[in-house]
Amino acid sequence: MTPRWDHLLLDATLATFAGDQPYGLIRDGALALHEGRIAWVGPRDRLPGEPTTLATRVDYLGGALVTPGLVDCHTHLVFGGNRAHEFDLRLNGASYEEIARAGGGIVSTVKATREASEDELFAQALPRAHALLADGVTTLEIKSGYGLDTDTERRMLRVARRLGKALGITVRTTFLGLHALPPEYRDDRDAYVAQVCDEMLPALASEGLVDAVDAFCEGIGFAPDETRRVFDRATQLGLPVKLHAEQLSDLDGAALVARYRGLSADHLEYLSDSGIRAMAEAGTVAVLLPGAFYALRETRLPPIAGLRAQGVPMAIATDCNPGTSPLLSLRLAAGMACTLFRLTPEEALRGVTVNAARALGLDDRGTLAAGQRADIAVWNLREPAELCYWIGGSHLLREVFIGGEWLSPEG
Ligand code: DI6
Ligand code: FE
């Protein structure tokens, strides 16, 4: 009789994140993969037959921890150059303002990105993507926002798509035209916002380069009414929205993105109780970015207790970007969410799996359950909490399956 499954993993400690048991943990578990999907998951002793008759290939994992592939739902992974020299200047006493006045900050990354070709941007982003994959990431969100003109924004989004193809992973792209005001529009914000809404976004969306739309709603970024303009255009184009909100102040950005039933509000150190309630009502995910909190030496914590009390799903991401979060490990971000934000390891790991998938509008991944994509990470670990506990450790990931296909951690 032909085996019903392609592959059967046995003797596994399964952190399924399905159901309401902590981690959805199944010890001595079995996981069947078939045609790129999870076909069966449960205790080994409930298998519907002899393993070798059930699957073409059977592997015994020796009790290893198995999780869904990790989802990094907020990155600025594609950019030209880097800002290590600013890091050096800051630690030698220069202020952000002095650096910005000297042409540093986002504007310096915009200049480097505009000067880079598509191949150069791809070559610079590829090692960063490999670093995230080596830590168990199988789905990656990548934003534009360092071009701030149509051609360069297009190049960034094309590179993001190319990274997905080259690495065999899912990449979801987010247009972030309202990230910063480009120098050539320094005296005419309104014209730039119009350029973003009426030229850039429609053009790039028509080329299939945009999966969602974001904005940096902040005093040093864009105002709520400017954000509303790009959200209205996104809605007309049938694109979901998300927002960098309440990172440095409370502009009621979370309530704004919730009014559009947005996928997520991100950062949230200055989130108010009314913003929490609005997110809970809209089902908008709270994406916490501890890398930026750490790198900026922020002191104001996001309102974790309020988010928990209102049942707002919390996701964790690296926010990998050259200025405020040059972080290349999603697992370390999860550990920071525990140590700095006081999430439990169970909350942090849901935050880099099922809740992160939800922040991207994806319900076909993020748990180990029948029917989900077979995106799976096998770890040289026994307990789920170890994923947040160990600081660093490139040896922790044993192997990855993407759509059921085995992929070495080296990519
Ligand atoms: N918030 C941030 O922390 C980054 N962008 C944003 O909207 C900063 C990006 C940079 O400094 O390059
Ligand atoms: Fe960001």
Side-chain angles (χ1 to χ4, degrees):
M1 186 171 80
T2 314
R4 66 176 80 175
W5 299 324
D6 298 328
H7 196 171
L8 181 58
L9 302 175
L10 295 175
D11 192 8
T13 301
L14 301 175
T16 67
F17 299 104
D20 52 12
Q21 288 303 309
Y23 307 104
L25 203 61
I26 300 174
R27 294 200 185 281
D28 192 11
L31 185 64
L33 318 180
H34 190 66
E35 293 176 352
R37 294 274 165 187
I38 294 172
W40 192 94
V41 55
R44 174 174 25 180
D45 61 11
R46 299 236 189 101
L47 274 171
E50 267 308 299
T52 49
T53 65
L54 291 171
T56 308
R57 178 179 165 183
V58 179
D59 282 321
Y60 290 79
L61 300 183
L65 175 67
V66 177
T67 67
L70 305 189
V71 177
D72 195 348
C73 67
H74 182 136
T75 86
H76 306 253
L77 197 80
V78 174
F79 53 85
N82 70 59
R83 302 223 303 267
H85 61 289
E86 291 183 16
F87 181 69
D88 197 339
L89 288 173
R90 284 209 311 271
L91 291 170
N92 279 283
S95 73
Y96 271 97
E97 290 67 28
E98 284 160 344
I99 292 169
R101 265 200 301 279
I106 292 183
V107 171
S108 71
T109 299
V110 169
K111 184 172 178 298
T113 306
R114 286 178 168 180
E115 288 165 359
S117 68
E118 184 177 310
D119 288 347
E120 284 164 343
L121 290 174
F122 179 82
Q124 290 176 39
L126 189 61
R128 294 193 281 265
H130 273 304
L132 292 174
L133 269 60
D135 221 9
V137 169
T138 56
T139 295
L140 190 50
E141 184 259 14
I142 301 177
K143 302 177 191 291
S144 69
Y146 287 116
L148 310 183
D149 62 41
T150 304
D151 286 347
T152 314
E153 290 289 301
R154 174 182 292 115
R155 255 192 343 271
M156 292 185 71
L157 293 167
R158 284 172 52 85
V159 167
R161 288 275 191 254
R162 272 177 65 185
L163 286 165
K165 285 198 185 70
L167 296 168
I169 62 169
T170 301
V171 166
R172 301 295 284 175
T173 59
T174 300
F175 174 73
L176 179 57
L178 292 192
H179 189 201
L181 191 66
E184 64 272 22
Y185 282 95
R186 154 177 332 108
D187 303 323
D188 196 348
R189 314 177 51 87
D190 190 65
Y192 180 66
V193 175
Q195 169 74 0
V196 165
C197 297
D198 303 337
E199 301 294 327
M200 273 191 222
L201 177 52
L204 299 176
S206 71
E207 296 165 30
L209 290 171
V210 180
D211 297 318
V213 175
D214 190 351
F216 181 31
C217 186
E218 191 55 68
I220 57 169
F222 291 87
D225 66 312
E226 293 168 327
T227 301
R228 257 191 294 279
R229 287 168 63 183
V230 78
F231 279 7
D232 287 342
R233 175 66 75 191
T235 305
Q236 285 166 7
L237 294 167
L239 293 169
V241 296
K242 50 181 55 246
L243 190 62
H244 284 70
E246 277 72 273
Q247 179 181 2
L248 307 171
S249 65
D250 182 1
L251 296 186
D252 229 5
L256 171 57
V257 70
R259 271 199 294 283
Y260 286 80
R261 306 199 85 74
L263 294 172
S264 70
D266 301 36
H267 282 290
L268 301 178
E269 280 82 350
Y270 287 78
L271 176 63
S272 65
D273 288 347
S274 60
I276 294 173
R277 285 192 298 276
M279 289 175 69
E281 188 276 325
T284 298
V285 175
V287 176
L288 305 173
L289 303 171
F293 178 93
Y294 165 80
L296 294 174
R297 303 177 69 223
E298 176 60 67
T299 53
R300 172 135 170 171
L301 290 168
I304 303 302
L307 291 165
R308 209 179 260 145
Q310 292 284 330
V312 176
M314 293 187 278
I316 313 293
T318 59
D319 190 20
C320 178
N321 76 71
T324 62
S325 189
L327 176 57
L328 292 172
S329 165
L330 182 58
R331 217 174 37 74
L332 179 51
M336 285 179 168
C338 296
T339 303
L340 299 176
F341 292 172
R342 316 310 289 159
L343 267 69
T344 64
E346 209 267 356
E347 286 173 326
L349 292 176
R350 278 185 193 274
V352 296
T353 53
V354 58
N355 290 348
R358 184 166 165 177
L360 297 179
L362 298 174
D363 61 3
D364 66 344
R365 66 196 73 196
T367 67
L368 299 180
Q372 292 268 281
R373 268 180 61 88
D375 289 355
I376 290 154
V378 181
W379 303 88
N380 293 314
L381 296 170
R382 284 270 191 282
E383 297 301 327
E386 290 188 78
L387 288 169
C388 302
Y389 164 76
W390 292 109
I391 302 172
S394 55
H395 64 291
L396 298 185
L397 181 67
R398 181 187 297 182
E399 56 191 339
V400 175
F401 294 86
I402 297 183
E405 294 298 314
W406 183 84
L407 190 78
S408 147
E410 285 69 53

